[in-house]
Amino acid sequence: MPSQIGCVRRPQKLISTMPNAAPIQVLIIEDHLIMSTALRLLLNSQENLCVVGEASNKDTARQMAASMAPDIVLLDLFLTDGESVSLIPDLLSLSPGARVVVLTGAPDTALHRRALTLGATGLVLKEQPADVLLSAIERVYQGEVWIDRSLLAELMTPVPPPVAGPIDTLTHREREIIGAVGLGLRNKQIAERFFISERTVHNHLASIFRKLEVGDRLELAIYAGNHGLLEQAPPKSA
């Protein structure tokens, strides 16, 4: 069930230097009750922060984002129903004025990159002191991007290009020959179709078998059918 929270005001140090600023309304999305409670107590102890709700799963988070219209969504990277990164676009769509700060304890650079790509503007490690989180909320609320320094170097490391799969290594001619094999043509027929020698066809097939790790023409035809390679088959001769 969604948990709507009333704010407890205590005469603590303001995290904002703006006088008479309206409280920053925060929605906490965290599936561990102790962690969620600790965050609520911390944030509500600040005079210009107000926790307006707490959610522990994706469905509740969507409901509260739509109904509470928070300024900041404090989002744990993992919830009981899976990683929460995919939730970010929904939160921003349901609450267009919100900004998302992700709390992470996972050393997963790819997931952190994805969170930022999907619209998060803050990334804070759970192991950091409370002051870091408070500063991150303030900066993100003011329109800045906050990324923990220890994560910044990893995120700025270039992503290596994906390793080519076996299909990517096939030449255009090899793809044509695979299509011809799928039509049931023998080496001599393939050679005549493409105006090459049977020896060249044999060499191409040996290369194809090696690249795709298949043992014979039947395995090749099955592999090609499963991976859409037969769609490139040349038309049968009249």
Side-chain angles (χ1 to χ4, degrees), residues 103-173:
L103 277 176
T104 175
D108 192 329
T109 305
L111 205 54
H112 297 159
R113 276 199 182 97
R114 186 166 168 240
L116 295 172
T117 300
L118 291 177
T121 47
L123 198 58
V124 181
L125 282 172
K126 288 183 177 180
E127 64 193 45
Q128 292 288 6
D131 287 348
V132 173
L133 175 60
L134 297 177
S135 295
I137 291 173
E138 178 186 18
R139 297 290 185 84
V140 170
Y141 176 73
Q142 292 173 353
E144 299 181 27
V145 175
W146 177 284
I147 301 175
D148 196 281
R149 289 184 179 180
S150 60
L151 297 174
L152 191 57
E154 295 179 9
L155 291 170
M156 293 182 67
T157 302
V159 179
V163 178
I167 293 176
D168 297 323
T169 65
L170 295 171
T171 66
H172 177 69
R173 177 64 81 193

Side-chain angles (χ1 to χ4, degrees), residues 4 7 12 21 25 28 39 53 56 71 83 89 102 114-115 141 147 152 155 157 161-162 176 178 180 193 218 230:
Q4 184 172 345
C7 296
Q12 298 281 337
Q25 300 186 67
I28 297 172
L39 287 170
S56 60
D71 300 309
E83 56 83 10
V102 173
R114 186 166 168 240
Y141 176 73
I147 301 175
L152 191 57
L155 291 170
T157 302
E176 288 181 328
I178 290 172
R193 179 179 291 266
L218 177 59
L230 296 185

Side-chain angles (χ1 to χ4, degrees), residues 7 34 36 54 100 105 130 137 139 157 164 169 175 179 186 193 209 217:
C7 296
I34 292 177
S36 181
E54 298 173 54
V100 176
I137 291 173
R139 297 290 185 84
T157 302
T169 65
R175 289 170 182 265
R186 308 306 299 173
R193 179 179 291 266
F209 289 170
R217 300 170 83 96

Side-chain angles (χ1 to χ4, degrees), residues 1-179:
M1 293 290 292
S3 177
Q4 184 172 345
I5 308 299
C7 296
V8 177
R9 294 297 179 210
R10 297 182 182 178
Q12 298 281 337
K13 178 183 177 181
L14 294 176
I15 66 168
S16 173
T17 57
M18 296 175 60
N20 302 319
I24 300 171
Q25 300 186 67
V26 182
L27 170 62
I28 297 172
I29 304 176
E30 165 64 60
D31 61 335
H32 292 93
L33 182 58
I34 292 177
M35 183 70 173
S36 181
T37 301
L39 287 170
R40 169 165 45 86
L41 293 174
L42 169 67
L43 300 184
N44 277 346
S45 72
Q46 304 297 309
E47 288 190 5
N48 71 329
L49 290 179
C50 174
V51 175
V52 294
E54 298 173 54
S56 60
N57 58 65
K58 294 178 182 179
D59 287 340
T60 304
R62 292 186 183 95
Q63 294 172 22
M64 298 209 74
S67 63
M68 303 307 300
D71 300 309
I72 296 291
V73 177
L74 198 55
L75 178 65
D76 189 3
L77 192 62
F78 289 97
L79 302 173
T80 52
D81 45 0
E83 56 83 10
S84 64
V85 170
S86 57
L87 183 62
I88 294 173
D90 289 347
L91 296 173
L92 296 176
S93 175
L94 292 166
S95 187
R99 296 182 175 91
V100 176
V101 176
V102 173
L103 277 176
T104 175
D108 192 329
T109 305
L111 205 54
H112 297 159
R113 276 199 182 97
R114 186 166 168 240
L116 295 172
T117 300
L118 291 177
T121 47
L123 198 58
V124 181
L125 282 172
K126 288 183 177 180
E127 64 193 45
Q128 292 288 6
D131 287 348
V132 173
L133 175 60
L134 297 177
S135 295
I137 291 173
E138 178 186 18
R139 297 290 185 84
V140 170
Y141 176 73
Q142 292 173 353
E144 299 181 27
V145 175
W146 177 284
I147 301 175
D148 196 281
R149 289 184 179 180
S150 60
L151 297 174
L152 191 57
E154 295 179 9
L155 291 170
M156 293 182 67
T157 302
V159 179
V163 178
I167 293 176
D168 297 323
T169 65
L170 295 171
T171 66
H172 177 69
R173 177 64 81 193
E174 287 171 344
R175 289 170 182 265
E176 288 181 328
I177 289 177
I178 290 172

Side-chain angles (χ1 to χ4, degrees), residues 161-236:
V163 178
I167 293 176
D168 297 323
T169 65
L170 295 171
T171 66
H172 177 69
R173 177 64 81 193
E174 287 171 344
R175 289 170 182 265
E176 288 181 328
I177 289 177
I178 290 172
V181 170
L183 293 176
L185 301 184
R186 308 306 299 173
N187 285 8
K188 182 178 180 181
Q189 294 170 304
I190 295 173
E192 292 173 350
R193 179 179 291 266
F194 297 117
F195 304 102
I196 56 179
S197 69
E198 287 188 56
R199 181 65 182 176
T200 300
V201 174
H202 175 82
N203 291 340
H204 279 309
L205 285 172
S207 174
I208 292 167
F209 289 170
R210 183 181 68 256
K211 290 179 179 180
L212 302 185
E213 298 182 351
V214 296
D216 54 36
R217 300 170 83 96
L218 177 59
E219 286 187 24
L220 174 59
I222 294 172
Y223 183 100
N226 289 338
H227 292 82
L229 294 174
L230 296 185
E231 297 173 3
Q232 304 169 31
K236 290 185 178 180

